Amino acid sequence: MESNNSFLVLFLAPVREYLEDDSISEILINGPQQIFIERGGKLEEVPAKFVSEPALKAAATNIAKSVGRILDEMHPRLDARLPDGSRVHAVIPPLSRVGTVIAIRKFKKDTLTIDKMLSFGSMDEDTVKLIRALVALHKNVIVSGATSSGKTSVLNAVSSFITDRERVLVIEDASELQLQQRHIVSFETRKADKNGQGEVTIRDLIHSALRLRPDRLVIGEIRGGEALDLLQALNTGHAGSMSTIHANSPEDCLRRIETCALLSGIDIPLAALRSQVASAIDAVIHTARLSDGSRKVVAIAEVLPLDKGEYRVRELMTWKTESVAADGTVAGRFEPGEPPTFAKEAHVVGVELPFGW
Ligand SMILES: Nc1ncnc2c1ncn2[C@@H]1O[C@H](COP(=O)(O)OP(=O)(O)OP(=O)(O)O)[C@@H](O)[C@H]1O
Ligand SMILES: [Mg+2]
């Protein structure tokens, strides 16, 4: 048995085989009678069942207990990371109408390296060259995409181009990134305890990080007001920082950062905020999960200065789908766009760019 998942296996015996199968990335339990798994990017229903709703609910409350949390009438939702790195979200009735609902995102022991992404066709050599150049030139990069499109995996791969000479401060809600450099200092947020005390947010950790002399900041995901703190940090130094955000396109990524910054509650005129976004963010790497379940970097865009108060981007690379087979398999290619405005800068410092730019 994989010791990695032993913790969950203890409570979730009916789905044991899926917990132990490394080809399965997620297990989705919708009440005792219906269970789906995700394998190779695709969802499938499996025959496994729990004997009853009380048995399933007991499993969920035991998982909560084992990580020092409560799941009951008063606390009907659980968001937890288990010691093995898996992420578990659970909701119990009556909030969930189908019985206890549990979603497990299994921890991937072997992270997706650039080489693996190349072999999966998630990017090509030119895309890698462009990403390497963005990191080497200390551009601030946001990886955007839909839920589960591969943002965190791409951020992890992008971060692999950071050199060992730099001091990198990593801040996450639940530690997923696996930076391998010599000088990494990682932080994880903390939820409030059952009395509502002791919460430490991404914003708090950004404040600490800025006092710890970072060369670069790597923030797992921007979801709220911390966007403003990050923008201010990026506009006052710390070039070469990176993060992810949920968005539908590179332009949408900039609008989402703006929306998140507004959630900070700090009053800042919209025009000023927009120019902060446009000057802080240099490039957006957009990811997507295609109809065949494959995940790809589908666009890399450079962020240009505002034009009459609106965001503008220049597409440096885009994925063009050329055909979709009957079984959903997607074929296409990565196409060059316009050369980046930093092409000259790259030549001066000897950083290689793709597409003969
Ligand atoms: N290029 C890829 N090829 C194959 N599988 C991938 C690829 N990228 C990510 N995955 C797998 O897809 C799942 C989701 O990936 P990841 O966590 O990186 O996505 P995400 O967009 O950050 O998700 P979330 O929205 O939950 O933060 C993981 O199981 C991961 O291993
Ligand atoms: Mg993620």
Side-chain angles (χ1 to χ4, degrees):
M1 192 195 87
E2 277 295 334
S3 61
N4 190 37
N5 288 315
S6 57
F7 193 81
L8 278 173
V9 166
L10 196 64
F11 302 121
L12 296 172
V15 293
R16 174 181 191 141
E17 77 171 280
Y18 312 115
L19 288 165
E20 291 174 355
D21 182 341
D22 284 340
S23 70
I24 293 169
S25 51
E26 307 204 28
I27 301 170
L28 308 166
I29 302 170
N30 309 333
Q33 299 297 313
Q34 190 184 55
I35 301 177
F36 285 84
I37 59 163
E38 185 183 307
R39 194 197 312 252
K42 289 202 168 135
L43 283 181
E44 54 188 272
E45 189 166 1
V46 293
K49 295 192 182 351
F50 282 77
V51 290
S52 63
E53 167 56 25
L56 174 58
K57 189 168 164 187
T61 47
N62 282 330
I63 291 171
K65 258 187 219 139
S66 65
V67 290
R69 307 276 288 285
I70 302 172
L71 185 67
D72 63 13
E73 296 271 281
M74 288 303 294
H75 314 84
R77 305 186 313 125
L78 171 73
D79 198 18
R81 187 169 71 94
L82 304 186
D84 67 14
S86 309
R87 272 161 41 175
V88 175
H89 192 83
V91 183
I92 58 172
L95 296 184
S96 92
R97 310 290 300 274
V98 295
T100 296
V101 168
I102 306 179
I104 301 161
R105 159 84 56 89
K106 286 163 68 180
F107 184 71
K108 267 247 160 79
K109 284 155 287 174
D110 43 336
T111 50
L112 287 165
T113 56
I114 291 277
D115 283 343
K116 275 193 204 145
M117 290 200 174
L118 277 169
S119 72
F120 294 161
S122 302
M123 37 179 93
D124 69 351
E125 297 283 357
D126 287 320
T127 309
V128 173
K129 214 178 261 181
L130 182 52
I131 291 174
R132 189 190 291 123
L134 291 171
V135 177
L137 294 169
H138 290 259
K139 300 299 177 194
N140 293 320
V141 174
I142 306 290
V143 181
S144 68
T147 302
S148 194
S149 57
K151 301 180 293 294
T152 302
S153 305
V154 166
L155 176 60
N156 204 54
V158 172
S159 72
S160 69
F161 292 122
I162 298 174
T163 66
D164 276 334
R165 295 186 302 278
E166 299 168 272
R167 175 168 163 88
V168 185
L169 271 72
V170 182
I171 299 174
E172 292 178 274
D173 263 329
S175 150
E176 290 182 289
L177 297 169
Q178 301 188 20
L179 277 73
Q180 304 295 330
Q181 290 81 350
R182 271 195 52 71
H183 201 156
I184 305 291
V185 187
S186 305
F187 297 96
E188 198 177 71
T189 57
R190 187 172 68 189
K191 294 213 161 55
D193 67 11
K194 52 190 175 222
N195 305 314
Q197 303 288 311
E199 185 184 19
V200 178
T201 64
I202 298 261
R203 299 189 74 174
D204 298 326
L205 292 175
I206 291 178
H207 290 169
S208 288
L210 292 177
R211 287 168 181 78
L212 293 169
R213 201 220 161 267
D215 287 321
R216 301 187 192 239
L217 295 173
V218 177
I219 315 283
E221 185 179 355
I222 301 169
R223 273 186 240 255
E226 68 273 9
L228 186 64
D229 304 76
L230 181 63
L231 290 174
Q232 287 172 345
L234 298 186
N235 280 323
T236 55
H238 318 294
S241 295
M242 41 190 87
S243 187
T244 73
I245 196 165
H246 186 285
N248 300 322
S249 68
E251 290 94 335
D252 185 45
C253 165
L254 302 174
R255 289 189 288 267
R256 287 274 311 152
I257 294 172
E258 174 186 312
T259 307
C260 287
L262 290 170
L263 294 174
S264 67
I266 293 170
D267 220 8
I268 170 166
L270 194 59
L273 177 55
R274 287 205 173 154
S275 65
Q276 281 210 31
V277 173
S279 68
I281 311 301
D282 299 308
V284 178
I285 301 177
H286 192 65
T287 60
R289 191 167 151 264
L290 306 189
S291 58
D292 58 358
S294 66
R295 290 170 169 95
K296 284 191 199 303
V297 169
V298 292
I300 299 183
E302 182 182 354
V303 180
L304 302 177
L306 292 178
D307 181 20
K308 300 191 188 78
E310 298 295 325
Y311 295 117
R312 275 190 315 146
V313 300
R314 168 181 290 189
E315 296 218 314
L316 307 180
M317 186 288 293
T318 43
W319 165 262
K320 289 277 181 307
T321 294
E322 285 166 339
S323 66
V324 182
D327 67 351
T329 304
V330 174
R333 63 205 163 88
F334 298 93
E335 268 192 0
E338 284 181 77
T341 62
F342 52 79
K344 212 175 227 147
E345 176 191 346
H347 290 304
V348 170
V349 295
V351 168
E352 198 189 350
L353 290 174
F355 307 124
W357 285 334

